[in-house]
Amino acid sequence: MFPYATHSWLIINDKGKLTVNTSSKLDLSMVTDAVWTDYDNDGWPDLLVAREWNSVVLLKNMNGKELVPQLIPELENQRGIWYSIVAGDFNKDGYEDYIVGNLGENNRFNASDKYPMNLYAIDLDGDGTIDPLITGYWNDQNGNMKEYPLNYLDELVSQSSFFNKKFKDYASFSVATINDLLDENILKKLQFKLDINTTSSYILWNEKGKFRWEKLPESLQVSPIKKMIVHDFNGDGYPDVLVAGNDYTYDVSTGYYDANKGIVLLNKGKNKKEGESSFEVLSPAQSGILLQGMVESLLYFKGDTSLVVTGFNRAKVSVYGHAEKAK
């Protein structure tokens, strides 16, 4: 039940026999994606996990015995609606870097350290069911930033009778802040609260086991990044990235996120100049690949003619051929 999440499990493959045990049980909240990566080059693959309404978390491999979540401030300080994560040594320093897909910046929300988006897990009407309440910050009538519910009144009424009893019309609801909705008695029912302080998608640079965030170019912030392929598409020895996404599952007042038509990030490699982005952004017209729709899967099949296969929600699969260049 959103925003609760059941435990994640690590399945052990012992010579073809799949097992789980108590050490395989992981409490990671709402997991959306993960990638195996030896982030510190100690010879043991670690697990980097993307989570919704949370931070990216690193599970360090303790010499093959267990995976232990690490509290790393650089990771904990960036909380988003992380959809996806991929790994690649983009600057060829011997350490894998990462690209982390988020909601993007083309939306009606404000999310920052000072003005986060909040998610209240609370049973408002006492019926035993969580009524998740999402809020954000906008200017009030006097130009002051105040916390308001994100959803409109009719959406909230359909979720819980609490709102129908509290607000008789849109006029009173339109100026109601979170303090008007949740008084001290209601807040006693609060089970937990989550927040995000960024909706941007990033490159996460791994500088010898230390992490540094860099926003992806503006053209990558137009829509959620849901799926990615890391591959050296032009044969120059540097990993490039194919980025796809879009999300049609949001409420009517938010609408479709559908501005990502498939973008190739071509690694500049040795040609990168100081202060420049590490990637050249290729539009569909430049790359020849058009991924229009809500992407749910993205795979690269290597062969004599390699294939990029894309699965869309409620649409046909697309297949593009890719001729590998000799290195």
Side-chain angles (χ1 to χ4, degrees):
M1 183 188 302
F2 181 86
Y4 276 96
T6 189
H7 295 288
S8 299
W9 293 86
L10 181 67
I11 300 174
I12 308 299
N13 184 355
D14 184 8
K15 298 178 181 179
K17 183 180 179 181
L18 304 180
T19 61
V20 295
N21 54 47
T22 53
S23 65
S24 306
K25 187 178 180 180
L26 301 168
D27 186 10
L28 299 175
S29 299
M30 295 185 287
V31 173
T32 54
D33 201 3
V35 62
W36 288 104
T37 173
D38 185 6
Y39 90 103
D40 55 1
N41 285 350
D42 67 352
W44 294 96
D46 310 296
L47 190 62
L48 196 59
V49 179
R51 303 181 293 177
E52 185 180 3
W53 282 92
N54 216 319
S55 65
V56 173
V57 64
L58 176 72
L59 278 64
K60 182 168 174 56
N61 189 332
M62 310 305 288
N63 300 326
K65 297 177 181 178
E66 61 178 335
L67 293 175
V68 178
Q70 305 295 294
L71 290 176
I72 301 174
E74 304 99 280
L75 299 183
E76 294 292 321
N77 290 341
Q78 294 280 38
R79 299 175 301 283
I81 306 176
W82 305 115
Y83 282 84
S84 56
I85 187 166
V86 291
D89 186 4
F90 300 118
N91 57 4
K92 288 290 186 178
D93 67 348
Y95 287 81
E96 283 196 312
D97 310 297
Y98 313 97
I99 294 182
V100 195
N102 203 352
L103 180 66
E105 299 173 355
N106 184 21
N107 56 63
R108 63 189 178 98
F109 313 126
N110 296 298
S112 65
D113 289 327
K114 187 174 182 180
Y115 301 116
M117 288 175 62
N118 293 308
L119 170 56
Y120 297 83
I122 189 168
D123 180 6
L124 291 169
D125 46 24
D127 64 355
T129 301
I130 293 296
D131 305 302
L133 179 62
I134 299 176
T135 66
Y137 282 83
W138 288 273
N139 287 321
D140 66 5
Q141 306 97 308
N142 300 316
N144 300 314
M145 292 291 276
K146 295 290 181 64
E147 187 180 1
Y148 294 96
L150 183 147
N151 296 94
Y152 294 154
L153 181 57
D154 53 347
E155 295 169 333
L156 294 173
V157 167
S158 68
Q159 174 178 286
S160 171
S161 60
F162 169 85
F163 297 99
N164 201 29
K165 295 174 183 177
K166 195 168 187 67
F167 300 101
K168 298 303 180 183
D169 51 49
Y170 264 92
S172 57
F173 175 76
S174 67
V175 294
T177 67
I178 189 63
N179 293 329
D180 299 318
L181 268 72
L182 306 180
D183 57 30
E184 290 184 7
N185 290 328
I186 294 294
L187 282 173
K188 291 177 182 177
K189 301 178 181 180
L190 182 66
Q191 299 191 20
F192 62 88
K193 176 183 172 185
L194 302 173
D195 73 276
I196 65 170
N197 60 0
T198 181
T199 60
S200 304
S201 295
Y202 288 87
I203 303 173
L204 181 58
W205 295 107
N206 181 0
E207 298 174 337
K208 298 181 179 180
K210 303 293 183 181
F211 297 105
R212 175 175 60 86
W213 297 84
E214 178 188 335
K215 277 188 183 182
L216 287 173
E218 186 175 336
S219 55
L220 274 296
Q221 306 291 350
V222 296
S223 195
I225 294 177
K226 296 178 63 181
K227 300 294 177 182
M228 293 175 276
I229 291 173
V230 176
H231 183 76
D232 181 10
F233 288 107
N234 61 355
D236 67 352
Y238 284 83
D240 311 302
V241 188
L242 173 60
V243 178
N246 301 326
D247 195 338
Y248 300 169
T249 65
Y250 279 74
D251 55 274
V252 173
S253 58
T254 299
Y256 281 7
Y257 291 109
D258 64 352
N260 187 330
K261 309 303 181 185
I263 298 172
V264 173
L265 295 178
L266 207 60
N267 200 324
K268 293 179 181 177
K270 296 178 181 178
N271 297 320
K272 177 186 176 299
K273 297 178 182 178
E274 189 172 350
E276 282 187 343
S277 169
S278 297
F279 295 95
E280 178 185 355
V281 179
L282 300 184
S283 67
Q286 295 169 302
S287 69
I289 185 167
L290 176 65
L291 305 178
Q292 189 162 345
M294 181 173 162
V295 174
E296 297 291 355
S297 59
L298 187 63
L299 299 171
Y300 190 89
F301 294 96
K302 195 169 183 177
D304 293 336
T305 298
S306 297
L307 301 175
V308 174
V309 180
T310 310
F312 299 91
N313 179 264
R314 298 186 179 184
K316 293 181 179 179
V317 169
S318 77
V319 181
Y320 284 86
H322 174 241
E324 296 279 355
K325 293 187 177 181
K327 298 181 181 179

